[in-house]
Amino acid sequence: MEPGLEELMPRLLPVGDCDLAEDFDPTVPPRTPQEYLKRVQIEAARCPDVVVAQIDPRKLKKKPTVNISISGCQPAPEGYSPTLKWQQQQVANFSAVRQSLNKHRNHWRSQHLDSNVTMPKSEDEEGWKKFCLGERVYSEIDALSDNENLGIDYTKVGFPPLLSIVSRMNQGRWLYALLACLEKPLLPEAHSLIRQLARRCSEVRALEESKNEEQISALNLIICLVSRYFNQHDLADEPS
């Protein structure tokens, strides 16, 4: 090793000249500590100063796939961007809801669910769609006539986000309720999912042709809570 490199890379365990037997053979396994250290020195001296990787050009023909996600949300339609005061008020209301939920979470978690409530497994996506939206909406089944509808059949119309239900979960009305149950600090998966949710809300909002004020307000609310309450500020709407 050159003297200059020696100064930049000092030996952690300096090794002087070793008294080795005349028949020392570096190709056989070392028998003593001295033979081992000498063998390391010899192998280090044989290493080239520059190593060039051998690249197979055939592996470079395929273009690599790169997933790029837009960092921000699409802006609200003109005239529908929420004011800063409105966003701050929604965050304050949401914070109060979370405090109330946490106060009663343990109580409702210990209560028995009604016999007609069967919660799907966490990985059952189709089951959750029917559970939240109801079979009638999800399957686009015609509504029953009034004289056939005796009481509320939640399997048809969907279950509301009852505290007795959402309090049992680890982490529209359902989205608001689930966000209220989401514990901080966020797990990486939850962090990614709520960002996807906010972006998706902004996409739906941008495609809202009828400019339904109630629907746009609901979308604004979800984006507001994700960005301002859960500190994803790059997704926030610029105040109008």
Side-chain angles (χ1 to χ4, degrees):
M1 183 178 291
E2 298 179 5
L5 294 178
E6 182 84 22
E7 295 177 0
L8 293 174
M9 302 174 60
R11 296 176 182 176
L12 295 180
L13 295 173
V15 179
D17 294 333
C18 301
D19 294 331
L20 301 174
E22 294 182 358
D23 60 345
F24 169 69
D25 185 355
T27 62
V28 300
R31 295 167 295 181
T32 66
Q34 289 79 9
E35 289 184 359
Y36 171 77
L37 293 174
K38 187 62 178 178
R39 183 174 178 178
V40 171
Q41 288 180 323
I42 294 173
E43 290 178 353
R46 291 174 179 173
C47 291
D49 294 334
V50 179
V51 178
V52 179
Q54 299 297 323
I55 301 176
D56 186 353
R58 292 173 297 179
K59 296 182 179 180
L60 300 179
K61 290 183 179 180
K62 295 182 179 180
K63 295 183 179 180
T65 301
V66 180
N67 294 322
I68 301 176
S69 60
I70 301 174
S71 60
C73 287
Q74 297 186 29
E78 187 176 355
Y80 289 89
S81 181
T83 64
L84 180 58
K85 182 178 180 180
W86 182 89
Q87 295 183 63
Q88 292 172 337
Q89 184 61 53
Q90 300 311 314
V91 170
N93 294 343
F94 182 68
S95 180
V97 169
R98 284 175 60 90
Q99 291 178 20
S100 177
L101 187 151
N102 288 332
K103 185 184 302 182
H104 302 289
R105 184 194 299 268
N106 292 334
H107 167 75
W108 285 105
R109 186 180 290 169
S110 63
Q111 301 301 305
H112 293 291
L113 292 173
D114 293 339
S115 59
N116 66 331
V117 181
T118 303
M119 295 174 62
K121 295 182 179 179
S122 59
E123 67 276 7
D124 184 5
E125 182 177 343
E126 297 299 312
W128 279 108
K129 289 177 181 178
K130 293 179 180 179
F131 186 85
C132 297
L133 302 176
E135 294 179 357
R136 183 180 301 166
V137 175
Y138 179 68
S139 304
E140 296 182 354
I141 299 176
D142 292 336
L144 299 175
S145 61
D146 292 338
N147 57 0
E148 293 177 327
N149 187 10
L150 303 176
I152 298 177
D153 185 353
Y154 286 116
T155 60
K156 297 295 183 183
V157 300
F159 287 91
L162 303 173
L163 186 55
S164 58
I165 295 176
V166 296
S167 61
R168 281 174 160 76
M169 299 178 177
N170 293 333
Q171 304 289 311
R173 290 186 303 168
W174 269 101
L175 292 176
Y176 188 94
L178 292 175
L179 287 175
C181 290
L182 198 58
E183 297 180 357
K184 298 174 71 173
L186 297 178
L187 296 174
E189 183 180 10
H191 179 275
S192 174
L193 288 174
I194 66 170
R195 289 181 63 84
Q196 290 180 43
L197 172 63
R199 291 196 186 99
R200 180 55 183 159
C201 286
S202 74
E203 293 170 2
V204 174
R205 184 178 62 180
L207 297 174
E208 176 59 40
E209 296 180 355
S210 62
K211 297 298 183 290
N212 184 304
E213 187 172 350
E214 183 178 354
Q215 182 171 345
I216 291 179
S217 180
L219 296 168
N220 287 347
L221 175 59
I222 298 300
I223 296 171
C224 169
L225 297 180
V226 170
S227 61
R228 298 194 179 273
Y229 184 87
F230 291 101
N231 301 319
Q232 308 301 309
H233 296 294
D234 60 307
L235 303 178
D237 281 316
E238 292 296 330
S240 60

